[in-house]
Amino acid sequence: SAASVVDAARAAAFAHASATGVTQGDELRAQDVMLDPEGARHVRFTRTHQGMAVLGGDLVVHLDRKLAYTGVTRAADHTVRPATTKAKLTPAQAATKAASASRGEAGTAQLVVDARGGASALAYQVRVTTAATSGNTGSRTVVVDAVTGKVRSNTPDSEEFLSPRLLDTLRERGETLNPATDAAAPPAALGGTFGSSTAVSYPRTVTGTGSSLFLGTVSLTTTQTARTSFLLKDPTRYGTETRDAKNKLQESFALGTKITSTTNRWGNGTVSSRVSAAVDAQYGVTKTLDFYKKTFGRKGIENNSKGAKAMVHFGNRIANAFWDPTCDCMLYGDGDGQTFKKPLVALDVTGHELTHGVVDATAKLEPTYVDSNGNQYGEPGSLNESLADIFGSDVEFYTNNPKNPPNYLIGEKLGLAQKFLRRLDHPSLDKLEGTIDYWSPSVYYTEVHAGSGVSSHAYYLLAEGSGRKTIGAVTYNSPTYHNLSVKGIGRSKATAIFYRALTRYMVSTTDFHDARLATLKAARDLYGANSTEYKTVNRAWAAVNVTYANTPANRH
């Protein structure tokens, strides 16, 4: 049973303390239990020390079929015991510092142990709402040293699709994005059994039709609550629902306005109807859920058989879309009316952002630091963005909608002059963000969307190989470091390897060299250590200059 696996993993962590880093005063709380068909068992733990949450203290304990310890993947490679457990600052003083740092309203300060970045310090963690930084797009989490009063980190809670730096670049260039939309007229006929003389009971599951902004007419599974009353909620996907934030900075889904119809027809294909953006959102969210379930057996974003949530029309003139762990939902802005003139509800945007939710529910990859403008840096954050691009692209391939042909481009629907935002085959063709093709030590100082190119490039090479080729309607020509040739193993196998690596072998501090090891272990699990797949994983990483030989001695 899962409980016996957790008990065995917890006991193994303490029995192998020199390897796992677990120490006296620690308590391990199981976050996820994974039972692999070949017999391996993996338990992901969060950690507390003397009752205080440990930031950067997460670990995954690996067992064999007989529940014997086989290894550990840990975020902190040092002891997490702080030098003192007595704070010099009061909670009120810490909250005041956090509010000042984020220019917002601070909640209650909680004592934690900050074990990130090689540290082990007593600190306060404070959530700040209505923050004035990062474009007024939600709450932030501030960590304040409980002894010195120094702000150790100040991180946005939401994962923004467009970085502050990119938005500034577009404004400086005067580039206005008004992406083409499909303004097809809504269908005249209603699907389902509306008007039937047969006695029915409510609520019930029915099929409606939506006129979306980007994908034309789409089918939506909805809830009929009365004869002429329908709700944009999908009972077949755990109650997945889209609501209207009514242009408020609303991070509570419960306070969002339910979207209803009297006809089970939704939107009109243009922004003149507030429901059109909701059609794109609901369709994209349900297709992303279907991709994860059909491909990996993952039941919902958190793999807990619960529905996904989305709110459109978030905030006033917000030119972005987010995964917000505070809301545990997707938030879509309408655009700022100047640079972006449409809601960011394209299919790969939704797949990208919901994948941040999957990462948040598994490895919790975090940026190493955030600048005063809200731009994020560090390899774990870059890897997070890369995985969101990888699986966001996979959502397109899974959906295979003719109005949005699948490809290895991200944001091709946004109307950018360069015709895409990022691309996996040749990342440096993205001149807006300065995305990079290969690893170097300077990646640590690279904004995370730009740094994402390293692992995205490795994934593409693993899937499709190097050189020139045409896939669908797009021509690709993927370069490699020192012109190393790579023969791909196919998108399905590459995707399986990266997903297993994420869920089993990545933690909050995983960098690109760690990701290489994680994908090698995943390939070994799935295909064997002597397989072509395993060897190609190693070659794909070498082709982006991530090798065992150039692993930094001092990791950030």
Side-chain angles (χ1 to χ4, degrees), residues 236-293:
T236 68
R237 295 176 176 89
Y238 319 111
T240 288
E241 183 180 0
T242 299
R243 293 186 178 181
D244 189 335
K246 294 292 185 179
N247 299 109
K248 298 177 182 178
L249 289 173
Q250 179 60 265
E251 289 185 274
S252 171
F253 183 77
L255 297 179
T257 300
K258 295 181 179 181
I259 298 175
T260 60
S261 169
T262 59
T263 63
N264 209 13
R265 296 193 296 270
W266 309 84
N268 64 4
T270 73
V271 293
S272 65
S273 168
R274 292 182 70 86
V275 180
S276 297
V279 171
D280 283 275
Q282 182 78 357
Y283 179 83
V285 170
T286 55
K287 289 301 181 183
T288 301
L289 290 177
D290 288 353
F291 160 73
Y292 275 104
K293 185 176 182 181

Side-chain angles (χ1 to χ4, degrees), residues 170-171 174-179 317-319 334-342:
L170 290 168
R171 289 164 184 149
E175 187 168 344
T176 299
L177 307 185
N178 193 19
R317 295 185 177 274
I318 298 295
D334 285 334
D336 58 7
Q338 297 175 346
T339 303
F340 279 90
K341 297 193 175 183
K342 297 275 173 43

Side-chain angles (χ1 to χ4, degrees), residues 102-103 131-140 155-158 160 162-164 167 318 320 322 370-376:
S102 286
R103 303 195 295 279
T133 54
S134 193
N136 286 321
T137 52
S139 61
R140 298 174 74 88
T155 308
D157 290 329
S158 58
E160 300 176 329
L162 305 173
S163 70
L167 292 172
I318 298 295
N320 229 319
F322 320 84
V370 181
D371 69 17
S372 59
N373 295 317
N375 295 296
Q376 303 181 23

